[in-house]
Amino acid sequence: QVQLVESEGGLVQPGGSLTLSCAASGNIASINAMGWYRQAPGKQREVVAAITTSGSTNYHYSVMDRFTISMDTTKVTTRLQMSNLQPRDTAVYYCTASTARDYYPEDYWGQGTQVTVSS
């Protein structure tokens, strides 16, 4: 089993920046990919960004050039640096991990953290 703990989200003004981090514990040797999903009220959950242990990344088209995902394979942490945030980015963000090396890591989930973009 793998446990994922996310940092606190928060309230950000439009155009602002925020970085989310996530630390993994447990059977971290089994992890081959980590990612971030989000779910806005009334909408389906969607993958925002993912990264494999080989360093390959993938992003949702709506966050390309604004969000950057990284992973420290030593500590098995992942960060999501978000810039130029817009109200449409408001959602609960979930850290995820998987044993498969793919762009949809869904084996393990964090508890979620709220990000609100509003003036």
Side-chain angles (χ1 to χ4, degrees):
Q1 281 292 328
V2 172
Q3 294 78 43
L4 302 171
V5 179
E6 299 126 340
S7 61
E8 289 287 327
L11 174 64
V12 183
Q13 291 190 341
S17 300
L18 183 69
T19 296
L20 300 177
S21 61
C22 171
S25 61
N27 188 18
I28 60 175
S30 67
I31 295 175
N32 284 301
M34 298 186 78
W36 293 88
Y37 281 66
R38 68 185 180 187
Q39 187 166 23
K43 295 188 177 180
Q44 287 189 331
R45 194 155 47 188
E46 61 185 12
V47 60
V48 176
I51 185 168
T52 68
T53 51
S54 64
S56 297
T57 58
N58 194 47
Y59 294 91
H60 190 274
Y61 72 91
S62 68
V63 306
M64 279 186 178
D65 300 326
R66 298 190 299 124
F67 291 13
T68 301
I69 188 171
S70 61
M71 180 165 65
D72 179 337
T73 56
T74 301
K75 298 181 179 180
V76 198
T77 58
T78 183
R79 284 188 174 83
L80 185 67
Q81 296 174 278
M82 305 181 289
S83 62
N84 192 21
L85 283 161
Q86 300 301 316
R88 66 177 183 269
D89 297 314
T90 295
V92 176
Y93 283 71
Y94 298 89
C95 173
T96 68
S98 74
T99 57
R101 188 172 291 172
D102 63 24
Y103 292 141
Y104 298 93
E106 299 181 349
D107 293 337
Y108 305 102
W109 293 74
Q111 77 280 8
T113 187
Q114 178 70 46
V115 174
T116 302
V117 184
S118 175
S119 56

